[in-house]
Amino acid sequence: GAGVSQSPSNKVTEKGKDVELRCDPISGHTALYWYRQRLGQGLEFLIYFQGNSAPDKSGLPSDRFSAERTGESVSTLTIQRTQQEDSAVYLCASSPAGQGRRGYTFGSGTRLTVV
Amino acid sequence: GENVEQHPSTLSVQEGDSAVIKCTYSDSASNYFPWYKQELGKRPQLIIDIRSNVGEKKDQRIAVTLNKTAKHFSLHITETQPEDSAVYFCAASTHGQNFVFGPGTRLSVLP
């Protein structure tokens, strides 16, 4: 597609439920990133996928968080047993990666509210 | 790993004045430094970037400078306008992969 697509755009869930967030990167972008942004806060790195390499999961805050990506396509971020502190906007970004490339392109995010 | 600091956290300027935001990084291997603008409720968008083989880059009212020796880089906005009001994030990366972001600067341009 023309840009990074994320769905749903908004999600309200009850505490304790599982949620799945989806990111469809720009075609041909080998790198895909998930960030969390709490209200009025900065960009908190969660996980990074680069092609078929093992993902960098160093930013995942707990074992309730997991993400998958098949090849260079769609990625899903799953949060199990959601807690109120999980409420945030979850941003996905993709990049062609590699030297000489320009920056990330961000999706519009999924606003998650845990009630 | 890389650590990026950003100052100030908030900045208010009068319309027409200049604004400067400064970032420092820790990893001397970092060689690509983009700046992102995030308007309220919207996604971050790339506004300008600089590579380590360049000391300064300009794009109309926006410029970025890089001091590799001191490991810091700055965003300069001249003739500020109300639509420049946003949160600005700097970032550092090696070869355009896995950026580390600064904590952001909230810029308010007062009419």
Side-chain angles (χ1 to χ4, degrees), chain B residues 12-20 61 76-85 107-111:
Chain B
S12 294
V13 298
Q14 289 295 134
E15 182 177 357
D17 288 350
S18 295
V20 180
R61 297 186 297 108
H76 304 253
I77 307 173
T78 58
E79 301 172 28
T80 52
Q81 302 168 4
E83 53 264 38
D84 295 329
S85 295
L107 173 65
S108 299
V109 179
L110 308 174

Side-chain angles (χ1 to χ4, degrees), chain A residues 1-6 22-33 69-75 92-95 105:
Chain A
V4 178
S5 178
Q6 288 188 248
R22 177 188 169 104
C23 173
D24 197 348
I26 292 173
S27 178
H29 280 196
T30 59
L32 186 148
Y33 315 79
R69 186 187 189 198
T70 303
E72 298 179 359
S73 62
V74 170
S75 174
C92 174
S94 71
S95 165
T105 301

